[in-house]
C-alpha cells in the first residue's frame, strides 16, 4: 500500500470502528504499518484503556489517533466523518470492526438483547458506511472492509441475533459493492473464525478447547491473521476485489 493518496500528497486516512478492541487494535497497527494515518473510533474509554491502546500503538507515534464514537448513533457517525473530512480531507478506508455479543437461546433471548446487538453490529455498519460513501465516491477512491464472523456463515447455538447480524453484514457488503463499483470504491467482508481475543477468552475453557480441536490449523486465530486480510483488501492495488467474503478461520469452515 502506498503512503500517498491519489494525488500523491498525503497518506490514506483509515477509520477503524471498534479500534480499541482485540482485533481493531491490530488492524490499526497494520494499517499504520502500511503507511496510513489511522483513527480508532470506539466507545468513550477509561484512561486505563486508552493508555493500554496508546502503548500498543506507541511505535507509530501520531499516525494512530482515537475518536470517541458510538456506531449505533447515526448522527454521531456523520459528525465524526464530517470533522475528519475537514481536518484530513476525507476518510479513504473504513473498517467496521465494532461488535458485541448478547448470547442467549432464542427461547430466552429478550427483545433488548436482539435490538441492542442489531444496533451495533448491523445498524453501525449502515451508519458509518453511509457517512463515508459520498466522499469516497466523489473522490473516486474508497475501501470499506466489514468484519463479519464464521458464525454468520454457519449459525451458532445461542447466537440467533449475532449470526443474523453477521450474515446481514455480508449482504450489505455485496449490495453496496454493486452501488460503488464504478466509483473506485470497493466493499468487502472479512469473516474471522475464533480468535485469541477477550471476546473468545470469555468463552468457558472447556468449550474453547473443543473449538480449537475443530480447527484444522490447530490454534485460535491471532489478531494479526485477521488484520493481514484487512490490510490486503484495503490496499490501493486491491481495486478488482469487491463484494468478496474473505474467511480467515484456520480451515474451521471451508466453502466456496
Ligand atoms: P472486542 O470486544 O475486543 O472489540 C470490539 C470493540 O467494539 C470494543 O473495543 C468495543 O468497545 C467496541 N464497541 C462495542 N460497541 C460499540 C459501539 N456502539 N460503538 C463503537 N464501538 C463499539 O472484540 P474483537 O474480538 O476485537 O471483535 C472485533 C470484531 O470482530 C467484532 O465485530 C466481532 O464480532 C468480530 N469477530 C471477532 C471474532 C473473535 O474471535 N474475536 C471472531 C469473529 C468475528
Amino acid at each position: 500500500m502506498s503512503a500517498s493518496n491519489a494525488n500523491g500528497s498525503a497518506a490514506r486516512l483509515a477509520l477503524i470502528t471498534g479500534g480499541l478492541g482485540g482485533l481493531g487494535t491490530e488492524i490499526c497497527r497494520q494499517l499504520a504499518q502500511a503507511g496510513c494515518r489511522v483513527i480508532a473510533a470506539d466507545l468513550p474509554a477509561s484512561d486505563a484503556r486508552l493508555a493500554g491502546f496508546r502503548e500498543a500503538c506507541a511505535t507509530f507515534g501520531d499516525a494512530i489517533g482515537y475518536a470517541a464514537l458510538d456506531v449505533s448513533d447515526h448522527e454521531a457517525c456523520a459528525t465524526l466523518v464530517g470533522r475528519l473530512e475537514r481536518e484530513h480531507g476525507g476518510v479513504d478506508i473504513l473498517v467496521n470492526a465494532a461488535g458485541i455479543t448478547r448470547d442467549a437461546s432464542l427461547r430466552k433471548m429478550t427483545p433488548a438483547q436482539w435490538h441492542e446487538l442489531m444496533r451495533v453490529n448491523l445498524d453501525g455498519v449502515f451508519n458509518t458506511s453511509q457517512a463515508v460513501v459520498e466522499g469516497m465516491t466523489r473522490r473516486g477512491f474508497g475501501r470499506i472492509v466489514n468484519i463479519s464472523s464464521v458464525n454468520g456463515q454457519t449459525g451458532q447455538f445461542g447466537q440467533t441475533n449475532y449470526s443474523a447480524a453477521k450474515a446481514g453484514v455480508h449482504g450489505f457488503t455485496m449490495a453496496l459493492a454493486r452501488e460503488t463499483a464504478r466509483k473506485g470504491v470497493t466493499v468487502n467482508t472479512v469473516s474471522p473464525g475464533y480468535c485469541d481475543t477477550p471476546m473468545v477468552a470469555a468463552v468457558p475453557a472447556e468449550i474453547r478447547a473443543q473449538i480449537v480441536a475443530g480447527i484444522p490449523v490447530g490454534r485460535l486465530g491471532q489478531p494479526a491473521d485477521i488484520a493481514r486480510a484487512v490490510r490486503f483488501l484495503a490496499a490501493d492495488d486491491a481495486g478488482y476485489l469487491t463484494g468478496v467474503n474473505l474467511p480467515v478461520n484456520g480451515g474451521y469452515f471451508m466453502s466456496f
Side-chain angles (χ1 to χ4, degrees), residues 75-234:
E75 199 179 323
C77 293
T79 302
L80 174 62
V81 170
R83 175 162 73 77
L84 295 176
E85 292 203 336
R86 284 192 302 280
E87 289 175 2
H88 300 275
V91 174
D92 302 302
I93 297 165
L94 168 66
V95 182
N96 282 305
I100 59 172
T101 51
R102 292 290 181 268
D103 293 358
S105 65
L106 184 67
R107 286 191 310 139
K108 295 184 183 155
M109 188 175 289
T110 63
Q113 286 174 310
W114 175 270
H115 290 300
E116 205 180 326
L117 185 137
M118 290 298 161
R119 276 200 298 273
V120 177
N121 293 16
L122 200 50
D123 295 7
V125 174
F126 163 74
N127 293 337
T128 54
S129 301
Q130 194 175 49
V132 300
V133 79
E134 195 179 322
M136 285 180 175
T137 53
R138 194 177 55 244
R139 291 186 298 272
F141 179 88
R143 299 280 180 264
I144 298 177
V145 183
N146 297 320
I147 308 298
S148 177
S149 167
V150 68
N151 290 349
Q153 298 176 281
T154 64
Q156 183 54 273
F157 188 100
Q159 291 199 324
T160 50
N161 51 1
Y162 187 83
S163 301
K166 291 301 192 182
V169 162
H170 190 57
F172 178 97
T173 289
M174 293 188 290
L176 185 59
R178 289 185 187 277
E179 292 184 19
T180 60
R182 298 281 174 116
K183 307 283 186 184
V185 179
T186 66
V187 190
N188 293 294
T189 298
V190 170
S191 290
Y194 288 92
C195 298
D196 193 6
T197 62
M199 192 180 257
V200 171
V203 174
E206 199 186 327
I207 298 178
R208 252 196 345 263
Q210 282 170 20
I211 291 170
V212 173
I215 301 173
V217 167
R219 63 168 176 87
L220 293 173
Q222 291 301 316
D225 295 319
I226 309 307
R228 186 176 191 289
V230 172
R231 178 175 171 174
F232 169 68
L233 291 170

